[in-house]
């Protein structure tokens, strides 16, 4: 059985200054994400069916998980999206 010490983790060998810089950048990005939040409202493009319209409705369907897949496929069928072969279902 090999009793050699484990290899050091990738970031554990970083000198203190670059490690502090990396940590600071990570904290700033996390804070920016927390303070910025998400888009409060989805913009739906006017006109005919678009992928953005479809995805906005799919997000609404996700609130009812029991009928999610049936609702999504019905919506794609309504907008004449290709459903065959199966890999084309969005």
């Amino acid at each position: 059985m090999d009793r050699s010490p484990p290899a050091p983790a990738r970031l554990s060998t970083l000198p203190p200054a670059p490690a502090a810089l990396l940590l600071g950048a990570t904290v700033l990005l996390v804070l920016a994400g927390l303070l910025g939040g998400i888009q409060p409202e989805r913009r739906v493009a006017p006109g005919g069916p678009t992928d953005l319209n479809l995805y906005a409705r799919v997000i609404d369907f996700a609130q009812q998980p029991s009928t999610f897949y049936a609702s999504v496929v019905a919506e794609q069928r309504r907008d004449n999206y290709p459903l065959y072969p199966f890999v084309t279902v969005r």
Side-chain angles (χ1 to χ4, degrees), residues 49-50 52-62 75 78-79:
T50 65
L52 291 177
N53 289 345
L54 174 66
Y55 297 146
R57 291 189 304 268
V58 165
I59 291 170
D60 294 334
F61 295 147
E75 193 70 19
R78 183 181 69 85
D79 288 342

Side-chain angles (χ1 to χ4, degrees), residues 4-34:
S4 61
R10 188 179 315 166
L11 296 177
S12 67
T13 58
L14 229 65
L21 187 63
L22 182 62
L23 180 62
T26 302
V27 169
L28 285 175
L29 288 172
V30 168
L31 286 175
L34 290 173

Side-chain angles (χ1 to χ4, degrees), residues 18-88:
L21 187 63
L22 182 62
L23 180 62
T26 302
V27 169
L28 285 175
L29 288 172
V30 168
L31 286 175
L34 290 173
L35 296 176
I38 59 173
Q39 294 289 333
E41 126 186 7
R42 292 184 299 267
R43 293 185 180 165
V44 178
T50 65
D51 286 352
L52 291 177
N53 289 345
L54 174 66
Y55 297 146
R57 291 189 304 268
V58 165
I59 291 170
D60 294 334
F61 295 147
Q63 295 174 4
Q64 300 295 326
S66 61
T67 60
F68 175 75
Y69 291 107
S71 300
V72 169
V73 169
E75 193 70 19
Q76 291 181 19
R77 189 171 284 128
R78 183 181 69 85
D79 288 342
N80 295 318
Y81 279 90
L83 297 174
Y84 297 101
F86 71 95
V87 294
T88 62

